[in-house]
Amino acid sequence: TVRVYDYISKTQLCQMKFSAGGSVLAWLPQIMDPKGATIVAGFDDGVVRVLNVYKKELKKPQSVDQVGAQLVLKQVFKPHSKKVKALAVDSKGELLATGVSDHYFLF
């Protein structure tokens, strides 16, 4: 499960569940997403998912899933057959590198 929390109010804003366990997570730098709303997540099955956090405009939230934000799946790819252990983005925001325990890196 990927969950996003409001640190100040100590409330969960949104969540999204997946079949494989999560192993690594990174927010994309502002050079790639000026709003700071994009998350890249690596999983135990070698899959990498790109998620966006979107704000919701609700007057009276009825449940945890309606409070403040929504996660939207933007892209999925499977660069590895083993657990993703590392994610990195270059300083220009042009390359995403992923790494696994077999010492194989994909650029």
Side-chain angles (χ1 to χ4, degrees):
T1 302
V2 174
R3 295 182 175 144
V4 178
Y5 286 87
D6 180 329
Y7 180 76
I8 302 299
S9 67
K10 297 181 175 98
T11 57
Q12 181 177 309
L13 299 177
C14 55
Q15 70 177 13
M16 186 175 276
K17 293 183 180 184
F18 300 98
S19 58
S23 56
V24 64
L25 185 93
W27 288 93
L28 288 185
Q30 286 189 323
I31 193 165
M32 294 180 76
D33 178 7
K35 292 183 179 182
T38 304
I39 300 169
V40 180
F43 291 83
D44 291 343
D45 59 0
V47 171
V48 175
R49 291 179 173 91
V50 180
L51 307 160
N52 275 76
V53 181
Y54 288 101
K55 287 186 179 180
K56 286 185 178 182
E57 299 296 330
L58 297 174
K59 293 180 183 176
K60 291 186 179 181
Q62 302 298 317
S63 71
V64 169
D65 290 332
Q66 293 180 326
V67 177
Q70 174 182 4
L71 276 173
V72 177
L73 184 62
K74 298 304 264 183
Q75 187 174 3
V76 179
F77 56 101
K78 186 173 170 67
H80 305 288
S81 59
K82 295 188 178 186
K83 178 184 197 175
V84 179
K85 290 196 163 196
L87 298 168
V89 178
D90 75 320
S91 63
K92 293 182 181 180
E94 295 174 353
L95 296 172
L96 169 67
T98 62
V100 295
S101 59
D102 63 0
H103 309 293
Y104 177 75
F105 288 87
L106 179 69
F107 292 95

